[in-house]
Amino acid sequence: SGCPPPPGARICATARFSPLSGAFSLGLGPRSDFRDRLLAEAPARGFTLVELLVALALAAIISMTIMIISNTAREIYEGTMRKVELSNRFRLALLTMDRDFSQWIDTPNLEFFADGRGGPGTRINRQWDEGEEFPDTTDELGQGVVDGGIPNTYDEFAYILERHYTGVDTEVSPDVPENRKRHDAYQAYFRTFTYVDGEIREANVEYMLVDPNRMDSNGNPQPPVEVIGKALADLVLIKLVRYHAIAPRQLQEIAKNFPIKRRRVEVSSNVTDFKVEYTVENRFYRTSGGIAFRTPKEDYESPSEPETQPQLINDPQVGPMYKKTFGYGSNRITAQYAKAYAYKARQGDRQPQGDHRPVRFGWITPNAKIQFAELTQGSKIFAFTPANRGQIRSGPTPLTRQVQWVGDLYTVRANMSGLLEFYEDVDSTNWQSESQGPILYKAAFLPSAIRITMRVVDDRGEGATAKTMQRVVWIRRKAR
């Protein structure tokens, strides 16, 4: 090894010879006394246990704060998005119903039929007669393409059906009365102009609330009866659209059974309540309330006209239902309702005698059951006798002179407490001094407006985001 380093030197150099390799090796290193002093003066390395615990606590607090802020921001965002989604559902659903209900068509022949093809005794009269309806067929939605509304019946007029279902808020105690609530599941069936298959078509539209968990034999969802817990959020408001698929080139093919198509459109999901009210007014017997919105049940309990009182239907599963039909009379000969009479108007009522043959249709003495209160100027009424249907032949006897009335579609010019006057001239030459009757009739009418009430929840079911909205829709053909 080399000589000792000079005083104050911190580095010592060494040299060694290896006999085996015959080579020298050099090394550098601190002096031993300097190395010992350096190690003695160096501070202790690491943290104490208290310091570690404090650091961990601070880290946990910071992490929790960040997590709380993130969760709050996420919940605010999700809540906002749910509210926006609910608002969009309401907007689209109410816009769809506004367009359909506002263009409601007052037809007394709601279902599809082939005029004059109902067998013996039927004729071409632009009205449905027994046997003229198209036969039922089956499509991808199951049986009943022709029969809308109540199956296996021909609906002459539009209607609103008040029905309800039971909603159970909890799955734990479904039999506890406090947990069982009544919800609205109304149905509305009418004809209108609606958008379907890329075109605006005249079609029959049926709005109804259905339960996807309750299917019929064809796999079609049915109206709810009892819904438990979060399944309330599964209910869907749909509309069924039925229309004639007639191409322009087929308009002259009178004898052909035109195909009837049906479409099922989802209007809104997560709908727990759907309610449709309508205006009721009897201008001849005004009440203190004037025009008011009513449900079919309220109209049943206090009808504006007994002849148009809603029908009570007792269903063993659903309970009592009330069906409001928007029409007077029927085309069924066997139907029981107040028959009318036709009278010659008194001389001097209008133009000089001979220029016009005014006829009054209804009852000279006001009828307590019916005043045609919903028929206004321009309304149509089909008035006919059994003779017009080929069931009685006219002749010279007093009895057969009562069948000289010409069955046709007449336009209302004035309504005098149930005594109608028409725009059309009526030939009363063969009447002598007798009135004509009893005469059968049918006429559809419209409410001035309807009020729609909907309640929608989010996908979670009952929650803070549940929202209820109402909208009043004015029927254009009536409100104008």
Side-chain angles (χ1 to χ4, degrees):
S1 61
C3 59
R10 298 184 179 184
I11 301 299
C12 179
T14 60
R16 295 179 180 179
F17 175 75
S18 174
L20 295 177
S21 62
F24 286 92
S25 61
L26 299 177
L28 296 176
R31 290 179 56 181
S32 59
D33 57 344
F34 178 77
R35 183 175 62 248
D36 295 340
R37 183 166 55 88
L38 184 64
L39 293 176
E41 294 177 354
R45 297 182 180 274
F47 298 96
T48 64
L49 179 60
V50 175
E51 291 174 335
L52 288 175
L53 293 176
V54 171
L56 290 175
L58 291 174
I61 292 174
I62 294 174
S63 300
M64 289 294 294
T65 303
I66 294 175
M67 184 176 64
I68 293 174
I69 295 175
S70 300
N71 288 339
T72 303
R74 179 177 56 81
E75 291 176 358
I76 293 175
Y77 172 78
E78 291 180 353
T80 303
M81 292 303 297
R82 288 196 297 269
K83 291 180 181 179
V84 170
E85 182 182 359
L86 286 179
S87 298
N88 287 336
R89 289 180 190 173
F90 269 115
R91 181 177 60 85
L92 294 176
L94 293 177
L95 179 61
T96 300
M97 288 186 283
D98 190 304
R99 290 175 177 173
D100 288 342
F101 278 101
S102 64
Q103 301 185 87
W104 186 338
I105 300 174
D106 50 342
T107 174
N109 305 290
L110 184 60
E111 296 292 348
F112 304 107
F113 67 96
D115 195 14
R117 299 181 58 191
T122 60
R123 59 186 66 181
I124 297 178
N125 55 6
R126 296 175 293 172
Q127 305 295 318
W128 166 80
D129 292 314
E130 293 281 0
E132 291 183 346
E133 60 270 16
F134 283 97
D136 283 342
T137 56
T138 303
D139 64 0
E140 67 277 7
L141 298 180
Q143 180 72 18
V145 177
V146 176
D147 283 337
I150 298 178
N152 302 320
T153 60
Y154 184 92
D155 294 293
E156 295 181 82
F157 306 104
Y159 68 81
I160 292 176
L161 179 66
E162 177 180 351
R163 61 175 293 152
H164 305 275
Y165 72 94
T166 301
V168 183
D169 291 340
T170 176
E171 300 179 7
V172 179
S173 303
D175 297 329
V176 177
E178 290 76 10
N179 294 334
R180 302 174 67 86
K181 297 181 180 179
R182 192 181 75 161
H183 293 265
D184 297 322
Y186 284 46
Q187 295 176 217
Y189 187 45
F190 58 100
R191 181 173 295 178
T192 185
F193 292 100
T194 189
Y195 184 81
V196 59
D197 288 346
E199 296 179 335
I200 299 294
R201 293 180 178 270
E202 181 179 339
N204 290 358
V205 172
E206 183 177 10
Y207 279 92
M208 60 190 305
L209 192 64
V210 297
D211 183 2
N213 301 316
R214 183 172 178 262
M215 300 287 186
D216 63 6
S217 59
N218 296 310
N220 297 312
Q222 297 299 296
V225 175
E226 181 176 279
V227 184
I228 300 177
K230 294 183 179 180
L232 282 168
D234 297 336
L235 302 185
V236 181
L237 179 64
I238 66 170
K239 75 172 182 177
L240 294 174
V241 182
R242 299 175 180 85
Y243 65 95
H244 269 307
I246 304 175
R249 64 179 181 277
Q250 297 176 315
L251 293 178
Q252 301 300 322
E253 302 176 14
I254 301 177
K256 184 177 180 179
N257 284 341
F258 296 118
I260 300 173
K261 291 187 177 181
R262 180 171 58 169
R263 295 289 182 265
R264 183 168 60 205
V265 181
E266 180 179 317
V267 179
S268 179
S269 58
N270 310 124
V271 179
T272 62
D273 292 84
F274 177 62
K275 183 178 182 180
V276 182
E277 301 168 280
Y278 51 90
T279 55
V280 173
E281 180 189 17
N282 190 324
R283 61 184 59 85
F284 307 117
Y285 296 91
R286 292 187 179 274
T287 61
S288 58
I291 299 179
F293 285 101
R294 290 188 185 180
T295 64
K297 180 181 179 181
E298 294 170 345
D299 197 8
Y300 174 83
E301 294 173 347
S302 179
S304 60
E305 288 186 282
E307 192 67 33
T308 59
Q309 182 183 25
Q311 176 187 2
L312 173 60
I313 304 173
N314 287 310
D315 188 280
Q317 286 187 323
V318 181
M321 299 187 297
Y322 299 88
K323 180 182 178 183
K324 172 65 175 183
T325 301
F326 294 89
Y328 294 103
S330 173
N331 210 32
R332 296 180 171 93
I333 296 295
T334 57
Q336 300 298 318
Y337 58 91
K339 307 302 187 295
Y341 291 82
Y343 311 91
K344 285 185 177 182
R346 297 176 181 177
Q347 184 176 357
D349 272 355
R350 278 227 213 128
Q351 302 295 328
Q353 189 173 7
D355 294 340
H356 184 72
R357 302 183 182 93
V359 168
R360 302 286 167 78
F361 181 86
W363 301 269
I364 292 181
T365 302
N367 192 316
K369 294 185 63 177
I370 179 173
Q371 295 88 35
F372 294 123
E374 297 287 352
L375 298 185
T376 57
Q377 188 178 27
S379 297
K380 299 286 186 177
I381 181 170
F382 179 64
F384 62 100
T385 65
N388 303 140
R389 301 282 293 274
Q391 298 184 10
I392 299 178
R393 296 184 180 277
S394 60
T397 65
L399 176 62
T400 55
R401 280 200 298 270
Q402 300 295 317
V403 296
Q404 299 296 327
W405 174 261
V406 179
D408 204 348
L409 191 66
Y410 295 94
T411 307
V412 176
R413 180 187 181 98
N415 187 351
M416 297 158 283
S417 299
L419 193 61
L420 305 180
E421 189 173 288
F422 301 137
Y423 278 103
E424 293 82 5
D425 285 343
V426 178
D427 186 1
S428 57
T429 304
N430 296 327
W431 291 12
Q432 298 180 5
S433 60
E434 300 171 348
S435 61
Q436 296 292 298
I439 299 176
L440 299 88
Y441 54 86
K442 67 172 182 176
F445 62 87
L446 298 173
S448 298
I450 63 166
R451 183 168 62 190
I452 303 171
T453 305
M454 286 179 55
R455 184 174 186 269
V456 179
V457 299
D458 58 20
D459 294 333
R460 301 177 182 179
E462 300 289 341
T465 56
K467 196 172 185 179
T468 302
M469 292 187 66
Q470 283 187 342
R471 182 158 188 168
V472 174
V473 180
W474 292 91
I475 312 300
R476 296 175 185 174
R477 294 171 64 91
K478 180 67 177 288
R480 64 182 182 183

